[in-house]
Amino acid sequence: MKILVIGGGGREHALVWKLGQSSLVEQIWCAPGNGGISEIAECIAADPGEVQAIAALAGRLKPDVTVVGPELPLVRGLADEFANRGLKLIGPSKSAAELEGSKIFAKQFLQRRGIPTASTYGVFNSSVDAYTSLCAVDWPVVLKADGLCGGKGVLVTSSPDAATSFIGRLMEELEFGDAGKHLLIEEGLEGEELSYIVLTDGASLVPMAVTRDHKRAFDGNEGPNTGGMGAYSTDELLSAELEESIRRTIVEPTIRGMASEGRPYKGFLYFGLMLTAKGPKVLEFNCRMGDPETQAIVMRMDFDLAEMLMAVADGKLGDLKARWAPAASACVVLASKGYPGSCEMGKAISGLSEANKISAAVVFHAATKMEGSVYYTSGGRVLGVAAKGSSLQAAVSSAYAAAGNISFEGMHYRGDIGRAASVQGRAAGGAEIESS
Ligand code: AMP
Ligand code: GLY
């Protein structure tokens, strides 16, 4: 098989690493890839957001299947463009990717289908109406820009001043362009968060190992929200009863509902869930795998990912089963100084070969560049050090042991990935979280 992977972060390195282990695979391209990916795949310079250029690239390379990491190309219709050209791709069509591309579409879909989610105070098309609505809410509330905002379009807050200023930035100053023209205001939910990701061909589905992300920048869930500072996976995150309830009340009605509304969903679908006192509820959908969840998930994959992707592309997923290594995995993200704000780059990275000597661990590159024989940092989240283990504690210890060998100027990472399940989830009232 020849496979093309679109994207260039830690998630894509993890996918390429796993695909490279398949005896079915003879060639992997990654567009654009990164320093670490270039060691195991052929990287091709490309902008994943340029749908026509990516489709033309695939037309030239003729991969058997293409898998897409980030949401932007899918929301812009890459899957439709591939279908028009007779190329196989793992990812939803533009209309199905609206589950992530429009928070208002997603919320109205959830409400139409009776799928548990936070209740809403309304959808607002003018800042005046949005300001007025704040007089009649119970705090905390969550404000969500309708479109993709590069990680900054959601505010969870108990502060009327913060909510007012967010509305002004979004709807009057148009800080995120058209994405902020429509605003959803909803109830703030409390509980633990869970990332439940499934792979579906539209008819059958295979759940990925369940994971939990760590969104805040610093230990104890302090500091600003990030793309994710680490993740872990263990079967203990999910009882059989809870999984049954998630499948029956959320996952299956979503897949069935999208099909019956003429938007059949194919590809990875990420359910961001809050485990509330009243049961699991949907916070958000992503039309792709999570980052850094994927790095923790691939560590536990005990099956041939290439074979499974091909089965999805051919609509034959029903014949396959996923097997997951016991018992746990973890991924610790090493970030640049300043992340998630503007950050320093171009710093030399040392200790990678020592880290790679820890057999339970794998170092995934998220933003590195190789010059000569040295890796340099090239973004905010630089590396994801992942490990598996016979217990969560063992996986976490191996990931930290490997991470402890690595250094670059200004490097920071959380010291409590997978160690502080009890402080996961929503911060106490009054805290603010900004996200995508
Ligand atoms: P989203 O961009 O929709 O993924 O939201 C980003 C983050 O905001 C989620 O991972 C949650 O931490 C938080 N969030 C979103 N919606 C809610 C809600 N209704 N209640 C509490 N927290 C939320
Ligand atoms: N780690 C959260 C996400 O991928 O959206």
Side-chain angles (χ1 to χ4, degrees):
M1 278 174 71
K2 295 178 177 164
I3 303 186
L4 172 62
V5 176
I6 307 298
R11 168 182 49 209
E12 289 75 26
H13 192 179
L15 290 171
V16 168
W17 174 82
K18 187 65 204 173
L19 289 167
Q21 293 170 7
S22 167
S23 58
L24 302 173
V25 173
E26 67 178 67
Q27 169 80 48
I28 306 176
W29 298 281
C30 190
N34 65 35
I37 296 174
S38 68
E39 285 190 23
I40 53 173
E42 188 179 332
C43 291
I44 301 175
D47 176 351
E50 292 291 332
V51 166
Q52 292 299 332
I54 296 287
L57 174 68
R60 282 199 304 280
L61 297 174
K62 301 196 175 28
D64 295 298
V65 66
T66 296
V67 55
V68 185
E71 64 279 6
L72 188 61
L74 295 166
V75 170
R76 289 188 175 166
L78 188 66
D80 310 73
E81 193 56 42
F82 269 54
N84 289 340
R85 296 174 187 233
L87 295 162
K88 290 179 181 168
L89 175 138
I90 307 300
S93 65
K94 183 175 184 175
S95 68
E98 273 220 74
L99 281 181
E100 177 167 2
S102 166
K103 303 248 186 231
I104 294 172
F105 170 79
K107 179 61 71 174
Q108 290 172 344
F109 170 82
L110 289 163
Q111 290 171 333
R112 264 197 309 281
R113 312 306 305 188
I115 298 169
T117 185
S119 58
T120 59
Y121 294 108
V123 168
F124 302 96
N125 303 320
S126 87
S127 56
V128 176
D129 292 345
Y131 292 132
T132 310
S133 76
L134 295 178
C135 303
V137 298
D138 287 328
W139 302 86
V141 293
V142 186
L143 296 93
K144 298 187 173 184
D146 186 37
L148 299 180
C149 294
K152 299 234 172 0
V154 173
L155 178 72
V156 183
T157 186
S158 290
S159 151
D161 285 348
T164 303
S165 119
F166 190 70
I167 293 170
R169 282 165 43 211
L170 230 62
M171 304 192 84
E172 291 174 8
E173 293 160 33
L174 294 179
E175 200 173 299
F176 305 113
D178 286 353
K181 282 192 170 162
H182 310 286
L183 181 78
L184 172 69
I185 303 187
E186 69 180 37
E187 156 202 30
L189 296 175
E190 301 207 344
E192 304 274 340
E193 286 188 45
L194 213 59
S195 306
Y196 192 86
I197 303 171
V198 303
L199 178 60
T200 175
D201 61 3
S204 306
L205 67 87
V206 170
M208 299 292 106
V210 67
T211 46
R212 177 165 286 153
D213 192 7
H214 295 61
K215 290 219 151 118
R216 300 289 202 103
F218 308 124
D219 286 19
N221 292 330
E222 298 291 334
N225 213 39
T226 70
M229 292 298 290
Y232 67 94
S233 171
T234 155
D235 295 340
E236 285 159 31
L237 275 170
L238 204 57
S239 66
E241 189 189 7
L242 178 58
E243 176 149 36
E244 204 278 319
S245 148
I246 292 171
R247 288 283 289 260
R248 186 175 42 80
T249 66
I250 294 174
V251 176
E252 283 157 15
T254 299
I255 309 276
R256 265 200 317 272
M258 290 296 280
S260 71
E261 294 189 12
R263 302 172 189 247
Y265 195 100
K266 291 184 188 176
F268 289 102
L269 179 53
Y270 171 134
F271 296 81
L273 304 177
M274 187 74 93
L275 305 181
T276 75
K278 292 184 181 157
K281 297 192 179 188
V282 177
L283 292 178
E284 59 155 340
F285 294 110
N286 292 319
C287 62
R288 51 168 174 81
M289 290 198 78
D291 188 343
E293 287 94 332
T294 305
Q295 293 85 315
I297 288 171
V298 296
M299 296 304 291
R300 295 189 62 199
M301 276 184 181
D302 223 351
F303 58 89
D304 188 324
L305 179 61
E307 183 187 17
M308 188 167 284
L309 294 183
M310 210 59 214
V312 173
D314 291 337
K316 292 183 180 158
L317 186 58
D319 303 341
L320 292 183
K321 283 233 168 338
R323 278 213 322 270
W324 299 99
S329 60
C331 173
V332 177
V333 170
L334 310 184
S336 294
K337 184 172 181 185
Y339 179 77
S342 59
C343 42
E344 294 182 350
M345 294 185 238
K347 306 293 180 192
I349 304 171
S350 65
L352 287 169
S353 47
E354 287 77 10
N356 281 320
K357 285 184 192 141
I358 297 188
S359 62
V362 182
V363 181
F364 294 117
H365 291 224
T368 67
K369 266 199 319 220
M370 196 177 209
E371 277 170 33
S373 57
V374 178
Y375 280 109
Y376 293 87
T377 66
S378 63
R381 290 191 292 175
V382 176
L383 299 163
V385 185
K388 66 176 172 179
S390 56
S391 65
L392 179 57
Q393 198 186 13
V396 164
S397 298
S398 296
Y400 277 110
N405 286 295
I406 299 173
S407 65
F408 53 85
E409 196 185 316
M411 177 176 102
H412 71 95
Y413 59 90
R414 278 183 62 157
D416 64 349
I417 303 303
R419 286 184 172 150
S422 60
V423 297
Q424 285 293 299
R426 290 284 311 107
E432 288 162 24
I433 301 179
E434 279 197 14
S435 183
S436 64

